[in-house]
Amino acid sequence: MVVMHHSPKVFISVLNWNGLDDTIECLESVFKMEYLNRNVVVVDNASTDGSASIIQGMFPQVILIENKENLGFTGGHNVGIRYAIEHGADYVWLLNNDAIVEVETLSALIDAAEKDPLIGLISPQINDYSNPVKVQFRGSYFDWKAFEEISPSNNNNSDEVDSKFQTGRDVTLWGTALLIKRAVIAKVGYLDEKYFAYREDLDYSIRALKANFRNVLHSGARISHKNDPSMHENKSPYYYYYMLRNIYLLEYVYFQGWRRINMQRMYLAHVLGRISHIVKYRNGQKEHLVAVVSGAWHGVNHIGGRMSSSPKAPYILEKMILFFGSHPLYFWSHIIAGNFGLILKKLVSKIKISRTA
C-alpha cells in the first residue's frame, strides 16, 4: 500500500459514447481504488443508447456532463479537463472507459508524480484485458531526428525495459490512462481538438516535453485495457481515416523548409503502405481504402475535427493512389521513401529463388 502524507485533489475524466457495459466495469474498478481524494467526471459524448442516464442512476456520485454532440476524444476530455480545473483539481486523469484499474493504481501514480516536481505527465503500464500477461504499452520515447515514436518490443513478458522508454528525457505516453499535472495544463493548454481522436496523446507528450516537463511510465502501476491499438485487423474505417490524417497534421506543425518536403514524400509512402496493408489483410475493403484516401487528402489540406466525407479527393488522384497502393508491388512505397537498398536486396533474393526453383 502506498502511504502519502499529502493527498492532492484528482479529477478522473471518463468518456462514454454508447459504451454502457464498458463504462460500468471501468467505474466499478475506479470506486474500489484506495485513493479517496478523487472526483469522477463522466463526459457523455452524445450517446444514443440511453447509457448516460443509466450510468447516473447506478453511480449517483459521478459528475455527469452530457455533450450535445460527439466531440471525440479530444473535445470530450477537454470538457472534463475544464471542469476539473475550474473546481480546483491538482491532477486530471484521462481514463478510457474500456480500461480497468487496480486498487493501488492511482495512489502509485500520484506518489511518483509528487516526488518529482518536473514530472508533468505520468502513465501506468497497460496490460491486455483478455490476456493479462500480454503488455500493450510499457512506455516509448521520441526520436527527434527521425520524428517517430519508438517503443520496446511487447513480445517478451520481461519487466525489464531500458529506462529510455519509461523515465528518459524524451518519453511519450498513451492517452489511455494519462495523469496530467495541473501545471502542465496551465503551461501548454488543453488537448488539440483538430485531432478529434488518435495521435493527440503524442502531440500532448511532445508539447509537455517542449515545455520542459518530464513524462514518465510507471511500470509499478498497472491497468488492463480491452482494445489493443496494435491490432489493425478489426479496426473500422474511421480508425484509418484519423490515423492517416492526424499523422500529417502532427508532422506539419514540427517540420519546416526542406524537412517538410521530405516529410511529404515519406507521408505518401506511408499512405501507399497502408493501402497495401488493407489489400493484403482486409481483402481490399472499399470503405477502408476510401477512408485512407480521404484521411490523407484532408490531412494535406489541414482539415481537422470530426471525420467527414467532404471535401472529396480529386477523382483522378484517388484512382491513382488506389492503383499504386492496391497492387502487390511493395516497392512503390519504398521507392518514394528512398529505400533503394532494401528494394535491391529483395529483387536479388527473388532472382536467386527463381533460379533455384
Side-chain angles (χ1 to χ4, degrees), residues 81 90-94 120-122 178-185 191 204:
I81 294 171
D90 296 307
Y91 290 85
V92 183
W93 196 21
L94 309 185
L121 305 179
I122 186 167
L178 185 63
L179 184 67
I180 309 172
K181 195 171 284 185
R182 184 187 183 98
V184 175
I185 300 167
L191 301 175
Y204 206 68

Side-chain angles (χ1 to χ4, degrees), residues 25 45 56-58 69-70 91 99 103 105 122 126 162 168 170 180 185-186 204 219 221 275 278 290 295 298 328 357:
E25 189 173 3
N45 254 341
Q56 184 71 91
M58 292 184 65
E69 60 179 308
N70 184 357
Y91 290 85
V103 173
T105 303
I122 186 167
I126 302 172
D162 193 308
D170 294 319
I180 309 172
I185 300 167
Y204 206 68
S219 60
I275 291 174
I278 293 173
V290 171
H298 289 180

Side-chain angles (χ1 to χ4, degrees), residues 77 91 114 143 161 182 195 219 226 236 308 311 321 326 339:
H77 270 310
Y91 290 85
E114 285 291 283
D143 184 330
V161 176
R182 184 187 183 98
Y195 296 107
S219 60
K226 295 179 182 178
S236 64
S308 174
I321 293 176
S326 298
N339 298 328

Side-chain angles (χ1 to χ4, degrees), residues 2 33 93 100-113 122-127 135 137-139 159 166 177 179 216-224:
V2 177
M33 288 192 302
W93 196 21
I100 308 301
V101 303
E102 297 181 357
V103 173
E104 296 187 356
T105 303
L106 185 54
S107 298
L109 293 177
I110 293 293
D111 184 55
I122 186 167
S123 168
Q125 178 173 298
I126 302 172
N127 291 350
V135 178
F137 182 68
R138 59 176 70 186
D159 286 333
Q166 300 185 342
L179 184 67
V216 170
L217 186 287
H218 189 351
S219 60
R222 307 285 175 94
I223 69 163
S224 58

Side-chain angles (χ1 to χ4, degrees), residues 142-149 192 194-195 198-199 202-203 206 210 243-257 259-271 299-300 302:
F142 199 69
D143 184 330
W144 295 96
K145 186 176 181 180
F147 202 84
E148 64 176 332
E149 203 172 17
D192 192 332
K194 72 171 178 278
Y195 296 107
Y198 300 114
R199 311 312 284 175
L202 176 55
D203 172 69
I206 292 173
K210 284 183 168 290
M243 288 296 288
L244 262 295
R245 185 197 68 180
N246 292 349
I247 288 172
Y248 189 93
L249 294 178
L250 176 67
E251 293 183 344
Y252 191 87
V253 172
Y254 296 100
F255 284 125
Q256 301 293 330
R259 293 195 70 200
R260 183 175 289 174
I261 296 174
N262 186 56
M263 176 271 288
Q264 292 168 333
R265 177 176 64 88
M266 297 297 292
Y267 182 70
L268 179 55
H270 183 71
V271 172
V300 299
H302 311 287

Side-chain angles (χ1 to χ4, degrees), residues 6-22:
H6 172 58
S7 181
K9 189 175 185 179
V10 181
F11 277 74
I12 304 171
S13 177
V14 178
L15 291 185
N16 176 67
W17 182 59
N18 300 324
L20 180 61
D21 292 341
D22 285 341

Side-chain angles (χ1 to χ4, degrees), residues 69-80:
E69 60 179 308
N70 184 357
L71 302 179
F73 184 94
T74 55
H77 270 310
N78 277 347
V79 169

